[in-house]
Amino acid sequence: MKRPCHTTRRAAPVPRWVMLALALLLAGAGVARAEELVVVVNAKAPVQSLSAKEVKEIFLGETAYWGDVKIVPIGYVDGATVQTDFLDRVVHVTENVYKTYWIKRIFREGGTPPRKVGSAAEALTAVSRSPGGIGFVYASELGGATDVREVLRVAD
Amino acid sequence: MRTGKWRAGLALLAWVGCLATAPGTARAFELNGFGDITYTDTEAHDGVGSNNGAALGQLAFYLAEQLSDHLDVLAEYVIESPGEGFVVDLERLQVGYAFNNNHKIRAGRFHNLLGYWNLAYHHGAHLQTTIGRPFFLEFEDENGVIPVHMVGLWWDSRFNTSAGRVTLGVMAGNGASINGDNVAHTDGTVNTTELNPDSAGDHDNDKAVSARVAFNPTAVPGLGVGVSGQFGKVNITGIDTDANGAVNPADHLDQVLWVLDLEYIADAVEVLAEYYAWMNDSEQVASFDDSSAYYVQAGYQFAHKVTPYARYESLDAKASDPYFIAVGMTVPGLDRQKNITTVGVRYDIHYRAALKFELRAVDDDLDGSYNEAGVQWSFSF
């Protein structure tokens, strides 16, 4: 159906308080952050670098060992922005698809999904505690973390 | 006997509950599961009146635990109603040792390495797009005609090549048997017998071997092709006469069961197809043609929520095949052809719950032609 022609009319400016409220709302809803993600492993892990495909296979449970070392992937609690960003950029799935994948995988083959933590600090601690530890944080949250080694950076 | 099973099941549940909640235990694990409630309305057909009503499906619980870096255990048990009351069945119990990323060995009770469906959905109705399994893939205690389960050892190897992933599995364990109560029933029920995977011990000492090779090409993500088979001897006991009083033609047979499966599951598309061919042989019976079955299923998901789907399934059980006579799928003298056409819609309320609406048209040489409608609310927790 053809729409009637309109004369050009200038849109009214959006009030600043509306923009602020929108920004706060989006931040609370776990919207992606325009920041690099850093994948880290335990400092004793027998890997120096990993490709995004290799990291994806680890977080899908397809790769479970580095030689004889059992890999211990660390993820985040449901809804965490860093988790949804990681799944989007590296695993290329939504959080619900990822959770469904693990339900199916465990039911079919056994095994355990990535352990869930609540913050970047907890993730770094968990990675540093196990030789097979691997996790991810935003670049600004890496700080001076010790006992972990950066193996991959994923741009926004 | 069922009361005993029920009590044993309650004891198992209580034990698991105590383990999961005991304070101070070094290891915690999650108890997860699947369930469904299904309403079915079936038209009258060949001497059977119409029927409608709701039924609880299988309530499946499963536990998966990493015991050490290389050891893991998986248990699945189901609470179901065989018609009256409820029973608890231990469906799977397996302990596994992973040598590395490529090789793993398991011992216990598994789903047999036959085709795709039998290894993918197990007892979780929520995982499958449709309300039910193809009828010829039903579980042994639900008139099934394939040995769904096996008790023994399972070797599993995976290799990643530039062309794609190759998965190779071999199982060896107790061979199945067919057991009946040796009574010629006159109530019109055909299947009074049951295919028995001999999980409590191989009383006839006949073993079976099954194997599957599957390939997932890198060039077409989501595509899988598999070839599988089972080789073994099937002993038939307790069914000297079948439901119609005819003499059962054999008390044992050699069985080779071949399966070809093809699946494409990518983004919103799901296409599944499997073909089963039974090559049964018994010196007690003159030569007879091979029986076969297949299904083709396709669905497409819109907006991660709504999935219209369709399935066609067909079984051709030959008149003189002693295996299909013994499991009650046909009677002497009848080449039984059974076809079911299904159309339906699945609506995913949440990733853990879905509503499914189905219409089925059944065309059966033994039971006549009739239609069915079904609604299922499936969930996982």
Side-chain angles (χ1 to χ4, degrees):
Chain A
M1 197 170 92
K2 256 188 170 177
R3 288 176 176 277
C5 292
H6 290 284
T7 52
T8 309
R9 195 166 51 181
R10 204 168 171 178
V14 180
R16 191 173 293 171
W17 66 269
V18 172
M19 296 290 283
L20 185 63
L22 256 177
L24 285 171
L25 195 69
L26 290 174
V31 169
R33 275 167 60 168
E35 189 179 349
E36 274 187 322
L37 279 170
V38 180
V39 179
V40 294
V41 298
N42 185 285
K44 293 176 185 162
V47 288
Q48 297 303 317
S49 67
L50 290 169
S51 67
K53 184 171 177 255
E54 288 169 325
V55 173
K56 174 182 173 178
E57 287 179 351
I58 288 169
F59 278 84
L60 289 177
E62 296 291 325
T63 302
Y65 295 93
W66 288 316
D68 200 39
V69 177
K70 173 75 173 157
I71 301 173
V72 183
I74 307 294
Y76 290 82
V77 291
D78 295 349
T81 306
V82 64
Q83 175 83 359
T84 52
D85 271 358
F86 174 79
L87 293 177
D88 179 43
R89 295 185 208 175
V90 178
V91 189
H92 309 302
V93 293
T94 64
E95 191 170 38
N96 278 352
V97 170
Y98 186 66
K99 286 189 282 191
T100 303
Y101 169 86
W102 271 104
I103 289 172
K104 289 179 178 175
R105 185 177 178 89
I106 295 167
F107 190 53
R108 290 170 182 173
E109 301 184 25
T112 49
R115 201 183 123 200
K116 293 175 181 176
V117 296
S119 67
E122 287 179 43
L124 293 168
T125 302
V127 170
S128 70
R129 281 185 179 159
S130 169
I134 177 170
F136 52 89
V137 296
Y138 285 118
S140 62
E141 294 168 334
L142 189 56
T146 55
D147 299 327
V148 298
R149 179 168 59 241
E150 181 182 329
V151 288
L152 177 70
R153 278 194 176 238
V154 186
D156 175 25
Chain B
M1 184 167 166
R2 276 191 179 144
T3 308
K5 267 179 106 176
W6 180 227
R7 282 182 185 151
L10 277 179
L12 177 68
L13 282 174
W15 173 71
V16 166
C18 288
L19 275 180
T21 56
T25 48
R27 177 182 287 124
F29 56 82
E30 286 184 22
L31 179 63
N32 298 294
F34 296 94
D36 66 270
I37 298 99
T38 304
Y39 176 86
T40 308
D41 190 341
T42 307
E43 279 184 348
H45 55 279
D46 279 17
V48 182
S50 63
N51 181 260
N52 66 75
L56 296 177
Q58 296 186 325
L59 178 59
F61 293 98
Y62 66 98
L63 308 160
E65 176 68 5
Q66 193 77 37
L67 301 178
S68 74
D69 283 356
H70 293 272
L71 274 173
D72 72 291
V73 67
L74 172 68
E76 180 194 6
Y77 49 95
V78 162
I79 299 175
E80 60 185 336
S81 174
E84 54 180 75
F86 290 89
V87 296
V88 179
D89 279 338
L90 184 60
E91 297 293 344
R92 286 186 292 163
L93 177 63
Q94 58 195 55
V95 59
Y97 184 90
F99 295 93
N100 49 42
N101 286 319
N102 303 109
H103 306 293
K104 186 171 184 175
I105 189 166
R106 299 176 176 94
R109 188 178 200 247
F110 330 102
H111 270 206
N112 212 339
L113 279 171
L114 292 172
Y116 175 80
W117 193 293
N118 198 45
L119 291 163
Y121 302 119
H122 300 276
H123 299 262
H126 181 63
L127 294 180
Q128 65 206 23
T129 304
T130 53
I131 286 179
R133 299 163 71 95
F135 74 93
F136 60 89
L137 297 183
E138 283 292 358
F139 302 108
E140 295 98 336
D141 56 1
E142 294 180 14
N143 299 345
V145 295
I146 68 161
V148 171
H149 299 91
M150 183 184 278
V151 175
L153 290 172
W154 173 11
W155 180 275
D156 187 27
S157 292
R158 295 166 191 210
F159 307 96
N160 289 315
T161 70
S162 57
R165 168 185 291 181
V166 178
T167 308
L168 170 66
V170 179
M171 277 183 192
N174 297 347
S177 60
I178 301 171
N179 311 126
D181 53 14
N182 217 6
V183 174
H185 295 261
T186 56
D187 61 357
T189 308
V190 172
N191 192 350
T192 57
T193 61
E194 190 171 305
L195 187 60
N196 181 356
D198 281 3
S199 301
D202 199 0
H203 64 269
D204 56 18
N205 293 322
D206 287 322
K207 304 296 177 275
V209 175
S210 63
R212 180 170 186 260
V213 181
F215 179 62
N216 300 90
T218 309
V220 189
L223 179 65
V225 184
V227 179
S228 48
Q230 170 159 310
F231 315 88
K233 182 174 278 191
V234 179
N235 277 286
I236 303 167
T237 59
I239 40 177
D240 294 338
T241 52
D242 73 1
N244 294 338
V247 175
N248 190 54
D251 59 17
H252 66 271
L253 54 89
D254 295 314
Q255 184 173 75
V256 178
L257 172 56
W258 288 107
V259 188
L260 182 64
D261 64 79
L262 184 147
E263 50 283 340
Y264 179 70
I265 303 168
D267 298 325
V269 180
E270 178 191 73
V271 178
L272 308 174
E274 293 186 58
Y275 176 80
Y276 281 67
W278 285 265
M279 297 175 185
N280 300 317
D281 186 30
S282 173
E283 73 274 11
Q284 296 169 298
V285 184
S287 65
F288 51 90
D289 293 334
D290 295 330
S291 301
S292 62
Y294 68 91
Y295 78 87
V296 179
Q297 178 181 311
Y300 187 89
Q301 189 177 56
F302 294 93
H304 300 291
K305 289 282 184 191
V306 182
T307 310
Y309 59 85
R311 182 167 75 197
Y312 183 77
E313 51 200 293
S314 177
L315 170 76
D316 181 16
K318 295 300 181 188
S320 303
D321 192 327
Y323 179 77
F324 282 91
I325 293 171
V327 293
M329 191 51 82
T330 190
V331 293
L334 174 69
D335 273 340
R336 185 185 188 185
Q337 182 90 35
K338 181 175 181 178
N339 306 319
I340 301 180
T341 306
T342 302
V343 291
V345 177
R346 173 185 172 122
Y347 176 71
D348 281 277
I349 306 164
H350 182 260
Y351 77 96
R352 286 190 178 276
L355 288 171
K356 306 173 193 176
F357 305 88
E358 263 186 21
L359 294 173
R360 293 186 284 271
V362 182
D363 183 15
D364 186 353
D365 289 339
L366 200 62
D367 291 338
S369 298
Y370 57 96
N371 297 316
E372 267 185 346
V375 181
Q376 182 181 74
W377 191 339
S378 65
F379 54 91
S380 68
F381 53 90

